[in-house]
Amino acid sequence: PDLSRRFTERKRCADPECSTLMCRGKAMKDFKGPDCRFVNFKKGETVYVYYKLIGESTELWAGSIGSDFGYFPKDLLEINHNYTNEELELPTEETDFVCF
């Protein structure tokens, strides 16, 4: 498999489909991603987190702002609500790393 497209091999999710919200937080500063796999946001916006990459790219989480979905550095998020403490470890899929 072509791993150059994959950031990492594993992720943590709240359910097997990674469709359940894990947490939400407030953006601590503006972020503009390097490509279309990332989600951009402004300081103060609410970000909803669906899964967290583990392994080499532990600094990246995946989430949404409005109708936009993508990756962002977890350090830019101040968590203010956890929806679940369930965390399953799952393999990532090719489709996790295509543009949304």
Side-chain angles (χ1 to χ4, degrees), residues 9-100:
E9 289 290 289
R10 316 284 297 161
K11 61 188 175 183
R12 289 187 198 278
C13 301
D15 70 280
E17 284 75 47
C18 298
S19 59
T20 301
L21 273 171
M22 297 181 82
C23 59
R24 71 163 190 256
K26 184 177 282 199
M28 295 191 288
K29 58 190 209 185
D30 293 2
F31 173 68
K32 183 149 177 34
D35 63 46
C36 58
R37 295 177 295 184
F38 291 80
V39 66
N40 300 326
F41 49 74
K42 298 254 185 288
K43 181 179 177 177
E45 285 190 299
T46 297
V47 183
Y48 294 89
V49 179
Y50 286 92
Y51 59 91
K52 305 169 179 180
L53 298 183
I54 52 180
E56 302 97 76
S57 293
T58 48
E59 72 279 2
L60 289 179
W61 286 0
S64 65
I65 293 101
S67 60
D68 297 327
F69 184 90
Y71 294 98
F72 62 90
K74 70 175 188 190
D75 299 349
L76 299 183
L77 200 63
E78 184 185 323
I79 304 292
N80 49 30
H81 187 80
N82 279 308
Y83 292 99
T84 176
N85 292 319
E86 281 293 304
E87 289 201 1
L88 307 173
E89 193 172 312
L90 300 162
T92 54
E93 297 163 37
E94 291 292 320
T95 51
D96 291 333
F97 304 107
V98 296
C99 292
F100 296 104

